Amino acid sequence: MTTPCTPTTLPELGAAERAHVARMEAELRARIDRAGGWLAFDEYMDAALYAPGLGYYSAGATKFGAGGDFVTAPEISDLFARTFARQFAEVLEATGGGVLEAGPGSGRFARVVLHELGTLGYRDVPYSLLEVSADLRARQREEIGRDGTAFRRARWLDRPPDRHVGVIFANELLDALPCDRFIMIGGRPQRLGVAVGAEGLRWAARAPDPDDPADAAWLAEVHRLLEGVVDKLPEGYCGELCPRAAAWVAELGGALERGAVILVDYGLPRRHYYHPQRVSGTLRCHFRQRAHDDPFRYPGLTDITAWVDFTRIAEAAEAAGLEVAAFATQAAFLLSLGIERLVEGEPASGARWFAQLQGVKRLLLPGEMGEAVKVMVLTRGWNRAPRGARLQDLRASL
């Protein structure tokens, strides 16, 4: 959660930060030059987030929590992880195996889940953390190391396993996958990329060449996604598409032998995602608890995200042989799992209780994360409706 602002009101950088941004910009300019003066936005976003030693998730700045750039649900309240532990327990009871968390952030979710699973009788469940960033691994080891029992059950992976039984979980990971962008010009989609102008990095639209196989494939995919709405989109409409999300689901889903993939992220079904009134798309940037829409401001120090087209995720899941077992808002899912009973179990007074109550409001209220964040459960070899889906079923909207 971050505070909306304009890029001109962002905090100023220190000398070391300015030097880092200068190195990142030099790298991006070099990539644009090698690409002939125009770089597809997904390639720009990939470099800005993941370039070794320079990208946002590869450099050593604090990302999560009050001292970072944004706050995710596990940092808002431990009740988020404690509640999801109950969904994990339901899956593990039926399938055995363990938990694999992809993109485990600060490690706080893993620490709390491992402790809660222990209280629920699952004391020996192995917990794998799929993390490629050495910087984030170090932070996760420190966080989970606060609980010696949890640390002994944790192990880190560089890549997805060949097979996994149990739970695969990802919170706010899909929205950080590099996405492509388009803009409607003259009633037709053009590809939005990045070029270098007199004042630095800038947006640059490029009409796809129908005789170029790559451009033709890109255009066909955009028209597939916009089927039924392309002629309703206004001039200048911007939108995102993320083919890498489907590839990610295929890879993780392919590793799941039996159990459930649980995805939590900001997103929408496709017919709402590409709505004519959503004229600026869903791209958002985060820097020091402030949200803005300029991905060229402070590259290397700024997080860049785009909401998830959950219809694409469902399509990829079905192609991978997974069943879409649940799709609901975060609020409905947490309430189905009994988060209110966990709140009632907390001491009903004092600063800690007040902080927990405020955290739960942020997790559940429609104006906060309650409706914007969705939960999707994909299953293989576990044929039952998850507990978290008892109050709401939005699968028909996909």
Side-chain angles (χ1 to χ4, degrees):
M1 298 294 291
T2 47
T3 301
C5 73
T6 62
T8 56
T9 61
L10 291 175
E12 293 298 321
L13 302 182
E17 292 172 318
R18 289 196 299 271
H20 182 90
V21 168
R23 291 192 296 271
M24 184 75 257
E25 287 182 338
E27 171 65 19
L28 291 166
R29 286 170 179 262
R31 294 188 184 213
I32 293 169
D33 185 62
R34 290 195 297 269
W38 184 92
L39 190 68
F41 184 72
D42 64 329
E43 296 180 43
Y44 171 89
M45 184 172 170
D46 186 71
L49 294 181
Y50 303 107
L54 292 174
Y56 180 76
Y57 285 105
S58 301
T62 300
K63 282 86 177 169
F64 308 95
D69 298 304
F70 53 88
V71 179
T72 59
E75 277 77 40
I76 290 173
S77 172
D78 286 347
L79 292 175
F80 177 82
R82 291 183 61 199
T83 305
F84 267 100
R86 281 149 173 75
Q87 182 61 76
F88 292 5
E90 182 188 32
V91 178
L92 295 170
E93 180 182 7
T95 66
V99 178
L100 167 62
E101 184 181 356
S106 69
R108 182 169 174 174
F109 180 87
R111 176 177 59 80
V112 176
V113 164
L114 280 166
H115 182 271
E116 192 70 14
L117 284 174
T119 67
L120 295 172
Y122 297 85
R123 297 180 177 84
D124 300 318
V125 171
Y127 200 106
S128 301
L129 297 97
L130 180 58
E131 180 59 73
V132 297
S133 167
D135 168 54
L136 289 177
R137 276 195 182 200
R139 178 167 182 182
Q140 291 154 14
R141 289 181 186 276
E142 180 180 0
E143 174 68 28
I144 299 172
R146 293 170 53 195
D147 183 329
T149 301
F151 191 79
R152 288 192 293 273
R153 290 152 63 191
R155 64 174 183 142
W156 278 260
L157 304 179
D158 295 312
R159 59 183 180 82
D162 294 330
R163 61 181 294 273
H164 180 79
V165 174
V167 176
I168 298 176
F169 179 79
N171 177 60
E172 292 194 43
L173 182 146
L174 292 174
D175 68 355
L177 294 178
C179 67
D180 211 342
R181 296 201 87 200
F182 67 88
I183 184 170
M184 298 300 295
I185 298 178
R188 297 181 179 181
Q190 293 193 13
R191 198 169 186 179
L192 266 179
V194 185
V196 178
E199 298 183 359
L201 302 170
R202 64 175 180 85
W203 290 110
R206 194 190 73 175
D209 180 358
D211 295 325
D212 180 275
D215 277 7
W218 179 87
L219 190 59
E221 174 67 357
V222 173
H223 279 294
R224 182 185 77 83
L225 297 175
L226 302 182
E227 184 178 1
V229 300
V230 65
D231 58 341
K232 301 175 184 177
L233 300 181
E235 184 76 3
Y237 178 98
C238 292
E240 294 80 38
L241 60 152
C242 187
R244 300 191 194 199
W248 185 90
V249 171
E251 183 177 28
L252 265 294
L256 183 69
E257 183 174 289
R258 186 173 69 258
V261 179
I262 304 175
L263 306 174
V264 185
D265 226 315
Y266 288 90
L268 293 162
R270 182 171 298 151
R271 61 192 179 95
H272 297 151
Y273 194 82
Y274 298 115
H275 193 281
Q277 294 180 355
R278 200 177 298 280
V279 294
S280 299
T282 68
L283 191 77
R284 296 296 274 172
C285 305
H286 305 271
F287 179 75
R288 294 186 189 169
Q289 305 301 323
R290 293 166 174 84
H292 63 93
D293 59 4
D294 184 359
F296 311 130
R297 188 68 180 268
Y298 303 160
L301 297 181
T302 297
D303 186 32
I304 308 172
T305 69
W307 281 27
V308 178
D309 169 7
F310 272 105
T311 302
R312 178 186 282 277
I313 304 305
E315 292 169 346
E318 291 173 357
L322 300 170
E323 178 185 351
V324 181
F327 181 53
T329 64
Q330 177 174 283
F333 205 85
L334 293 174
L335 288 169
S336 293
L337 291 169
I339 190 172
E340 75 282 3
R341 291 192 292 276
L342 293 179
V343 175
E344 292 169 358
E346 294 289 320
S349 63
R352 185 175 183 274
W353 174 83
F354 181 76
Q356 288 279 34
L357 185 61
Q358 293 302 109
V360 170
K361 286 182 178 180
R362 294 179 69 180
L363 294 175
L364 299 180
L365 289 179
E368 298 280 351
M369 302 176 74
E371 290 189 358
V373 177
K374 308 297 190 300
V375 182
M376 178 172 276
V377 181
L378 313 172
T379 61
R380 176 181 283 123
W382 183 61
N383 301 317
R384 59 178 296 179
R387 277 185 61 193
R390 289 179 179 176
L391 293 179
Q392 189 181 64
D393 184 358
L394 298 179
R395 287 178 294 176
S397 69
L398 296 168

